[in-house]
Every structure is written in C-alpha cells, then in structure tokens.
Amino acid sequence: MQFFRRLKPVQALSFDLDDTLYDNVPVMERAEREAYHALCEYYPQAGQWSQQQWADLRHRLMQTDPNLAADMTALRLATLEQGLLQLGTEAQQARQGAEQIFATFLRHRNNVQVSAETHQLLAELAQRYPLIALSNGNVDTAAIGLAEYFALVVQPGQGIRGKPHGDMFAVATETFPQIPASAWLHVGDSPHADVFGGQRFGWQTAWYRQGLYQADTLSVLPTVAFDSLQQLRALLLD
C-alpha cells in the first residue's frame, strides 16, 4: 500500500466493479466470443468481418465519441448497429439486431464468479459504511450476487454520463447529502475514470494497482494505492 495524499476520515465508500472486485477479462472474452457467434448465425453478412474487425469498429467509436467511451452499453449497441448498417443491413433491422445480439452478450457478461473473499469484505464494509457502486459497465449486480451490499448502484444512461464525468459522483452526493465530498473514498482500477474522475470531483480515491492499468497512465495521483483486498481491509476495518 502506498499513500500519495493524507487520508481524511472516510464516511462512505464507492466501488468500481469490473476488474476491481473480480477479474473481468475472461468474462468479457467469453461474452464477446458468444455474441460474435450469435451475430454471424442470425446475420450471416456480419461474418464478412472477423471478431477483431468488430472490436476495431468499437475502438474507433470510442475515440470519436467521448460519451460512448464512458457508456459501455451505448457503445456496444452503437457498434452492432453501425456495423450491420455498413454491411448493408436495413436500418430498422440493424437496430433490432443490435438489441438482440446485445441481449446475448449480456447473458454471458453477467456470468461472473465473485470470490468468497470479496463477498466477505463487502459484507463487513457494509456494516460500517454506506456502500455504493459506480460502474461505466453494464454488469447486473443482482445477477452476480453483489446487489445486497450496495445502497445504490449507478451506471451510465438516461442522461447520466459515465466516469470520469462527474454525473455519477453527483448522484451519490445527492443521495447522501449529509456526507461531504472529502469524506468519500472511491475504489477503482482505472487511472482515468476512477482516480482522475474521483479526485476532480473532490473525492478521495483508492487505486487498485492489480487491475488493467499501469502507473504511467496516471494523470493525477490517487489518495492511496493498494494491491490486494487484504490491504483494503487493513485500511478501512482494522
């Protein structure tokens, strides 16, 4: 564990989900593979592109539209619809196809195994702090068995932009107006979405260094960096 700023007394906690509380990489690999197979089965023209070419389109859309980059549901729907349109699919069928294949993706995407250690930590933290989840992704916390720990789950949509925009942090502070911004600690693995987003909103941040990102991608320093759930337990419960 490494401190970069003085940790002020913590009154509430927010958590990123994917790659912070569980390893999301194999989940996404499986979900994307199954979605691609379904896409090619129902829309054979989609097979003109490899799975990597569909991923390349998704990355291009992320780069050209910052709002899509912070909303994984909107991004995947846009990728499917735009790809089908580019391959000659009629507009209404492309929209319907995007929703159909996205439903397949979600079914596999919510097949997440959360460790007993994570369940135990969240259960103990929830007895001491208000817990919320702030995720740019589209995982269903009820489907993966985590909903019971969180008083609030905020994800992009209906005018709420994803992190690092302040919208999701603002929802949390509006829900718990008695807790000042400086008393929140946001826990996540993304230097941009979680650390930059949280610090810019006036929150404290705990960066999980064993996620997908390296230290050289930090644009601002977190309050604290940690490498394991045991370290987080020691910080917040011991």
Side-chain angles (χ1 to χ4, degrees), residues 36 38-51 53-54 80 83-84 87 89 101:
Y36 178 68
L39 179 63
C40 294
E41 177 182 356
Y42 290 105
Y43 301 91
Q45 66 271 34
Q48 297 176 42
W49 292 357
S50 67
Q51 186 176 338
Q53 287 175 300
W54 281 93
L80 289 164
L84 287 171
L87 290 167
T89 310
I101 302 305

Side-chain angles (χ1 to χ4, degrees), residues 87 115 179:
L87 290 167
S115 70
I179 300 175

Side-chain angles (χ1 to χ4, degrees), residues 117-174:
E117 179 186 21
T118 297
H119 279 284
Q120 182 65 30
L121 175 63
L122 291 175
E124 293 178 12
L125 288 172
Q127 293 178 1
R128 184 175 298 188
Y129 305 95
L131 299 189
I132 68 169
L134 303 181
S135 174
N136 286 0
N138 38 44
V139 73
D140 182 338
T141 54
I144 67 172
L146 295 183
E148 64 182 292
Y149 307 119
F150 296 114
L152 177 70
V153 177
V154 187
Q155 293 168 302
Q158 297 182 331
I160 297 174
R161 297 171 298 174
K163 303 168 294 183
H165 297 292
D167 303 27
M168 295 164 70
F169 299 101
V171 171
T173 56
E174 291 166 4

Side-chain angles (χ1 to χ4, degrees), residues 64-85:
T64 57
D65 189 336
N67 289 327
L68 288 180
D71 184 341
M72 295 300 101
T73 293
L75 174 63
R76 290 189 178 276
L77 285 169
T79 300
L80 289 164
E81 183 175 352
Q82 289 298 317
L84 287 171
L85 285 171

Side-chain angles (χ1 to χ4, degrees), residues 25-39:
V25 172
V27 175
M28 297 302 292
E29 289 176 346
R30 181 177 61 249
E32 290 178 352
R33 183 173 60 250
E34 294 298 331
Y36 178 68
H37 290 164
L39 179 63

Side-chain angles (χ1 to χ4, degrees), residues 8 20 36 48 83 100 106 109 120 192 219:
K8 300 174 184 177
T20 296
Y36 178 68
Q48 297 176 42
Q100 175 190 5
L106 275 185
R109 189 262 181 280
Q120 182 65 30
H192 187 59
S219 60

Side-chain angles (χ1 to χ4, degrees), residues 188-205:
D189 74 306
S190 170
H192 187 59
D194 296 310
V195 176
F196 174 71
Q199 294 288 160
R200 182 172 63 171
F201 201 74
W203 287 22
Q204 303 183 99
T205 58

